[in-house]
Amino acid sequence: MTAAGDRPERLPVRRAGALMSGMDGHPWPALVHGRPAVLVPRRRDAVERLVDAADGWGAYLGGLSTPCEEWAAQLDGARLVARRPGGEVWLDEQLLLSAEWRRGALAHGAVLLVTGEFGNAAEVVGAALAGSLRVLAAPLRFTGRPVD
């Protein structure tokens, strides 16, 4: 997040690659309060991802945000592409998606993007307790089979 007059915070970006588990520092899918989410750790060895309140990012306080219509997420098979307002790719990843995650995505029509000061699944709780998680709900559309 940024303070007034500060430059927007940037997080690294990675192009789609191998399926990820959450313990290797790459984004991974999860269910947060029954809603489909992708947890995106900070990575300092790649291109940065913009995380700016002006784009709809907010602090995660246990509540769930409504979809930010300026964003767009598309799921084609296991590949999730999320785009910022204006169309810039924010996330492009192949994910290990369960049928439950896909059903949740169909039911909610959105995906929660969660990021912050964590490098893997073991560090998320600490980041949440420290108040460093940022969350955004992006409208989701399917271009392949939504459920296996």
Side-chain angles (χ1 to χ4, degrees):
M1 298 294 291
T2 62
D6 289 346
R7 225 179 101 209
E9 179 180 8
R10 289 203 170 265
L11 295 176
V13 143
R14 242 187 103 261
R15 288 286 177 213
L19 298 173
M20 310 306 172
S21 69
M23 292 308 292
D24 54 9
H26 299 288
W28 71 94
L31 292 171
V32 175
H33 299 289
R35 291 187 57 185
V38 176
L39 285 88
V40 183
R42 269 193 181 208
R43 294 180 48 92
R44 290 173 175 76
D45 60 345
V47 179
E48 295 182 3
R49 278 189 235 285
L50 184 65
V51 177
D52 188 357
D55 283 347
W57 288 97
Y60 182 74
L61 303 173
L64 301 173
S65 57
T66 57
C68 183
E69 297 300 325
E70 294 81 15
W71 281 70
Q74 176 180 324
L75 186 64
D76 186 0
R79 182 179 181 202
L80 179 70
V81 177
R83 296 180 184 277
R84 296 182 57 240
E88 178 186 351
V89 172
W90 189 84
L91 179 74
D92 184 348
E93 291 287 338
Q94 295 284 338
L95 301 168
L96 287 169
L97 301 174
S98 68
E100 182 180 16
W101 192 98
R102 291 173 186 272
R103 282 191 295 274
L106 273 172
H108 292 285
V111 60
L112 294 175
L113 302 174
V114 181
T115 192
E117 293 291 334
F118 58 90
N120 60 49
E123 298 172 358
V124 173
V125 171
L129 292 173
S132 74
L133 294 185
R134 299 294 175 260
V135 65
L136 180 137
L140 179 64
R141 73 180 180 94
F142 293 86
T143 57
R145 275 187 18 193
V147 179
D148 292 336

